[in-house]
Amino acid sequence: MVEAFVRLLCPECGKEWESSPTELPETRVNFSCPNCHATRRLTEFMRTERDLEIVKQFE
């Protein structure tokens, strides 16, 4: 099985990183940037619509 990764982008500081969808909270839950600690809904950190679709598949 190939492990999936999603790309994240902080809307506050611009930090980019990848994470496994299984390591992320549900899309409606608040999430904090590991760099600047800005807190927003997880959906606001998704780089693309495809990344969001992948995360929703694992909920």
Side-chain angles (χ1 to χ4, degrees):
M1 185 169 124
V2 176
E3 190 169 346
F5 283 92
V6 293
R7 296 176 302 160
L8 302 157
L9 172 66
C10 178
E12 293 287 324
C13 70
K15 176 181 175 57
E16 297 180 27
W17 72 99
E18 293 181 349
S19 183
S20 169
T22 58
E23 296 175 354
L24 295 171
E26 292 185 11
T27 54
R28 293 178 298 270
V29 175
N30 283 341
F31 181 75
S32 294
C33 172
N35 190 50
C36 72
H37 306 289
T39 302
R40 296 174 182 234
R41 298 270 182 191
L42 178 62
T43 56
E44 295 184 44
F45 287 90
M46 297 293 129
R47 290 211 48 202
T48 65
E49 194 68 33
R50 181 69 183 137
D51 293 320
L52 180 57
E53 289 172 12
I54 291 170
V55 170
K56 286 184 176 183
Q57 288 177 1
F58 285 87
E59 285 186 342

